[in-house]
Amino acid sequence: QVTLVQSGGGLAQAGDSLRLSCVASGGTFSDHSMGWFRRAPGKEREFVAAITWRGGSTRYADSVKGRFTISRDNAKNTVALQMNSLKPEDTAVYYCAAGAWGTTQSAYRYWGQGTQVTVSS
């Protein structure tokens, strides 16, 4: 059983940067690929970014490509999402997830509690 605890997020203005972190406990962190998803108001939860267990491969949603960067530190059991050039449409609750490699929610077994990110124009 892997428990994911998120931190970071909050309020930002368009063009600002924010960083989300997610710390895992229990299980073996390095066994899992990690992902970030988000749910905007009135919308379904969607894929944002993913990174393989060793960190050798990453994948991003088109909407965040070039602005967001996912990284992981297996020694510290952490995964981070650096969000630059934020836009109002990035406003959402962000979730980290651990599981198999993929861009669909079904690939991930464990989920963080969610962190609100609000970007004003």
Side-chain angles (χ1 to χ4, degrees):
Q1 183 76 17
V2 176
T3 300
L4 303 175
V5 178
Q6 299 177 219
S7 62
L11 300 175
Q13 292 189 331
D16 284 353
S17 298
L18 285 175
R19 184 177 180 87
L20 304 181
S21 294
C22 177
V23 179
S25 60
T28 303
F29 179 70
S30 58
D31 284 349
H32 299 86
S33 292
M34 301 296 296
W36 287 95
F37 289 76
R38 67 186 181 186
R39 176 179 284 144
K43 295 186 177 181
E44 297 292 320
R45 189 158 57 181
E46 64 176 5
F47 169 77
V48 175
I51 187 166
T52 53
W53 70 273
R54 193 176 286 181
S57 294
T58 58
R59 190 164 180 179
Y60 298 91
D62 289 342
S63 58
V64 307
K65 201 171 294 183
R67 300 188 298 121
F68 290 12
T69 302
I70 188 172
S71 62
R72 68 187 294 163
D73 184 339
N74 287 344
K76 296 181 179 180
N77 288 359
T78 60
V79 62
L81 184 69
Q82 178 65 40
M83 305 183 293
N84 298 331
S85 302
L86 284 164
K87 303 176 180 180
E89 50 264 44
D90 295 320
T91 295
V93 176
Y94 284 73
Y95 299 87
C96 69
W101 173 251
T103 62
T104 61
Q105 296 182 63
S106 60
Y108 296 87
R109 182 175 181 181
Y110 305 103
W111 292 84
Q113 81 276 18
T115 301
Q116 179 68 48
V117 171
T118 303
V119 184
S120 61
S121 58

